[in-house]
Amino acid sequence: MHATETMSSAAPAQGFYLAEEHHPENGTMLGFWIYLMSDCLIFAVLFAMYGVLGRNYAAGPGPKDLFELPTVAVNTSMLLLSSITYGFAMLEMARMRKGATLLWLAITGAFGAAFVTLELVEFAQFIHEGAGPWRSAFLSSFFTLVGTHGLHVSFGIVWLITLMVQVTRHGLTPTNQRRLSCLSLFWHFLDVVWIGVFTFVYLMGVLR
Amino acid sequence: MSAATEQAGDDRLDPRHVHGHDEHGHGSGAAHGSFKGYMTGFLLSVVLTAVPFWLVMGKVIPNAQATTAIVLAFAVVQILVHMVYFLHLNTRSEGGWNMLALIFTMVLVVITLSGSLWVMYHMDTNMMPVSPGAMRNMP
């Protein structure tokens, strides 16, 4: 942000320019929030689909036969822990500590990777048991909903690694801070969606 | 001098913007939160996650419907906890537009979910019963 520094040492017209320059940054956070809201609608539609089709087992296995709640509990704690460690990364970023920020980001990525791995193991087990997405409408909607969430987390990890490289190379510049703030929203949003998944799909599935 | 004063009057948010710019590099409303805030959110989330899992896995309440209602209530509370402590959502961030977008989205989500479930449930119950034999001879 060289323009800002130049302006602050220059003419009294600075106030106007500072305000002008700052608006796009505000716009990024609001724009990203609106993207998250549209993503929220995607998940709402997938939840609705699961709600409509979730009981059509086609004489195949149901939630009680398939779901292993201890695994889901471990998975949930992985995602929750990754949320708090991302929070710590943001706190270190606010203190401008590059090394600590990178460390917490790496821990966050590790928890995220553990989550995705556990989910893939679960999927592989279902498919091995013959309960793949082709088996029944229940399983099609289950794989679509949970798979879409897992895909989001996977892309979040790719994004996280990209930003770690960016921070390592260029430091905690205002641009990188803005990017990390966007990823923070994305990451916490995915945890919010997962609350819906483990409640609506797993816990209520086993209760049926 | 008078020009500077006039500008300060024109853009009331300006000093805070400059401050935020130097220290955080992003918007005035998107607060980073504090260690205490994150820990409060985390501990509340742990409790709000553990209790539903315990209720379902331990079959604490024999009535499945009652358990479902309690589990759903815990999920709603936990979503609110995440919104406040992790996403730092409040009515002031981005001049209230964040909250407005969220409320609009929630209205759409409720319409989508309740509408789909309601319509499809009634369609299922109002359909004529079909025997497996009739199903086989369907066009």
Side-chain angles (χ1 to χ4, degrees), chain A residues 40-77:
Chain A
C40 188
L41 290 179
I42 291 180
F43 279 110
V45 171
L46 292 179
F47 271 111
M49 181 190 70
Y50 182 82
V52 169
L53 299 174
R55 282 163 195 264
N56 301 347
Y57 306 129
K64 269 183 190 167
D65 313 313
L66 290 171
F67 296 162
E68 302 274 352
L69 283 187
T71 318
V72 182
V74 172
N75 235 353
T76 306
S77 49

Side-chain angles (χ1 to χ4, degrees), chain A residues 72-186:
Chain A
V72 182
V74 172
N75 235 353
T76 306
S77 49
M78 287 299 134
L79 212 54
L80 192 55
L81 283 168
S82 82
S83 258
I84 187 72
T85 54
Y86 201 106
F88 291 155
M90 291 298 284
L91 292 176
E92 294 298 340
M93 184 192 88
R95 289 194 203 114
M96 295 301 283
R97 287 193 208 154
K98 186 177 156 187
T101 309
L102 283 171
L103 178 68
W104 284 116
L105 286 178
I107 296 171
T108 307
F111 278 128
F115 171 83
V116 173
T117 311
L118 277 171
E119 195 167 281
L120 286 177
V121 168
E122 187 195 29
F123 282 4
Q125 202 180 341
F126 286 2
I127 290 169
H128 180 72
E129 289 167 9
W134 57 86
R135 182 62 190 83
S136 61
F138 152 65
L139 282 163
S140 301
S141 54
F142 167 81
F143 274 91
T144 312
L145 173 58
V146 182
T148 306
H149 179 270
L151 206 60
H152 273 77
V153 178
S154 308
F155 276 108
I157 294 169
V158 172
W159 188 3
L160 186 88
I161 294 168
T162 314
L163 284 189
M164 283 175 70
V165 174
Q166 289 274 350
V167 170
T168 311
R169 283 181 142 187
H170 305 292
L172 292 167
T173 58
T175 317
N176 276 344
Q177 292 197 14
R178 191 192 63 222
R179 289 167 179 160
L180 284 170
S181 301
C182 281
L183 181 57
S184 164
L185 286 181
F186 186 73

Side-chain angles (χ1 to χ4, degrees), chain A residues 183-200:
Chain A
L183 181 57
S184 164
L185 286 181
F186 186 73
W187 200 264
H188 292 309
F189 167 76
L190 289 182
D191 204 4
V192 171
V193 174
W194 184 252
I195 299 171
V197 172
F198 82 70
T199 305
F200 195 63

